[in-house]
Amino acid sequence: MYLMLIFVIGLIIGSFLNVCIYRIPLGESINYPPSHCQHCKHRLGALDLIPVLSYICLRGKCRYCGEKISPQYACIELLNGLGWVYSFYHFGFTIEAVLACIFISVVIVLTLIDWRYMILPTGVIIFGSIVAILGKSALSFLHHDVSILIKSLAGGALGYGIVALVFYIAIWAMKKEGMGYGDVRYLGMIGLFTSPSLVFLTLLIGSIVGSIYGLVLYMKHKESLEFPFGPFLSIGALISLFYGEQLIGWYLELWM
């Protein structure tokens, strides 16, 4: 029963994530003005803001001007709701589950913004980093185990340091940026939520998936095109968060 409540809350937060994804890259406030149609600017009523159901009932169109509403809104709401449910299913009713939910929501915002605009807003990353440190501090206090916080801080420092090293080596070797500095901050934030070992796994998975995507892109267009790396770090981060320890365990069993 509590998972249904978590799902509903996740849907509601997902609706707020849509606001963040749309407004943050434009430099607009996420608090004001209230939610409105992007076409006719009409303020949306309570019935227009019911996550997923409003989109279905309105058949993907604005009630006031009839213009089409992007299916992204319903998809993000649904994705966040399902992600929150899975977090509590996986970790149980724990602080780890709450941290996983916040992590998923932050990752969704950063992924969509990076995919569209090729930027990773520093403010969102700082917010995620603060939540991670506070959450890990709380876990350390409750479990009387300071190593939880130490692993988090070490993961953050390692994630930031690895990609920063790659960033500056690329500038030295190629005389240009190989990736944005937002990726450096992003992997640092991911490390705060995970651990040093999972930072390496995140980077490995992200690099493999990103390389495959880049190869497909090259074969299609017959030229090298720039694309954001953040979404692929997000894939690696989510896999690492839920299955990283298992994957590392399987790898060690295979080779030892």
Side-chain angles (χ1 to χ4, degrees), residues 3 6 80-92 97 100-101 104 238 242-243 246:
L3 287 179
I6 296 299
N80 195 66
L82 292 174
W84 279 40
V85 167
Y86 188 74
S87 294
F88 276 88
Y89 172 79
H90 186 85
F91 293 109
C101 288
I104 286 172
L238 292 174
F242 292 106
Y243 302 108
Q246 289 176 273

Side-chain angles (χ1 to χ4, degrees), residues 215-233:
L215 181 59
V216 171
L217 207 60
Y218 179 81
M219 293 174 65
K220 181 179 180 180
H221 297 279
K222 305 303 180 183
E223 61 177 323
S224 297
L225 299 175
E226 291 187 357
F227 59 90
F229 187 46
F232 303 103
L233 284 178

Side-chain angles (χ1 to χ4, degrees), residues 20-236:
C20 295
I21 291 167
Y22 179 81
R23 297 189 184 186
I24 289 176
L26 301 178
E28 297 179 357
S29 170
I30 59 176
N31 300 314
Y32 186 84
S35 296
H36 55 275
C37 173
Q38 301 303 326
H39 301 285
C40 65
K41 308 302 179 183
H42 194 289
R43 181 172 177 175
L44 301 180
L47 294 178
D48 304 316
L49 296 173
I50 302 174
V52 182
L53 290 179
S54 291
Y55 182 84
I56 295 174
C57 292
L58 294 173
R59 298 181 180 180
K61 295 181 179 180
C62 173
R63 182 193 305 275
Y64 309 100
C65 67
E67 287 289 336
K68 289 185 177 181
I69 302 171
S70 171
Q72 171 198 302
Y73 292 97
C75 289
I76 293 301
E77 292 164 353
L78 189 59
L79 181 63
N80 195 66
L82 292 174
W84 279 40
V85 167
Y86 188 74
S87 294
F88 276 88
Y89 172 79
H90 186 85
F91 293 109
F93 203 78
T94 61
I95 292 178
E96 286 90 341
V98 175
L99 283 175
C101 288
I102 297 173
F103 182 66
I104 286 172
S105 296
V106 171
V107 164
I108 287 174
V109 171
L110 290 172
T111 299
L112 266 292
I113 291 177
D114 197 28
W115 188 259
R116 282 186 174 182
Y117 303 98
M118 293 186 70
I119 58 172
L120 289 163
T122 303
V124 179
I125 293 175
I126 291 175
F127 168 78
S129 298
I130 292 173
V131 169
I133 293 172
L134 291 176
K136 296 295 183 176
S137 298
L139 284 171
S140 291
F141 177 78
L142 290 174
H143 295 288
H144 305 288
D145 185 0
V146 72
S147 67
I148 295 174
L149 178 59
I150 292 174
K151 283 184 180 179
S152 171
L153 296 175
L158 185 62
Y160 188 95
I162 290 175
V163 187
L165 183 62
V166 173
F167 178 84
Y168 287 113
I169 288 176
I171 291 178
W172 174 76
M174 301 185 297
K175 308 303 179 185
K176 65 176 182 178
E177 294 183 0
M179 62 177 66
Y181 208 79
D183 296 314
V184 178
R185 302 186 188 97
Y186 188 26
L187 192 59
M189 186 204 79
I190 291 170
L192 290 172
F193 274 99
T194 54
S195 68
S197 59
L198 295 183
V199 161
F200 281 115
L201 184 60
T202 294
L203 187 57
L204 176 63
I205 295 173
S207 298
I208 292 173
V209 178
S211 296
I212 294 172
Y213 177 79
L215 181 59
V216 171
L217 207 60
Y218 179 81
M219 293 174 65
K220 181 179 180 180
H221 297 279
K222 305 303 180 183
E223 61 177 323
S224 297
L225 299 175
E226 291 187 357
F227 59 90
F229 187 46
F232 303 103
L233 284 178
S234 298
I235 293 172

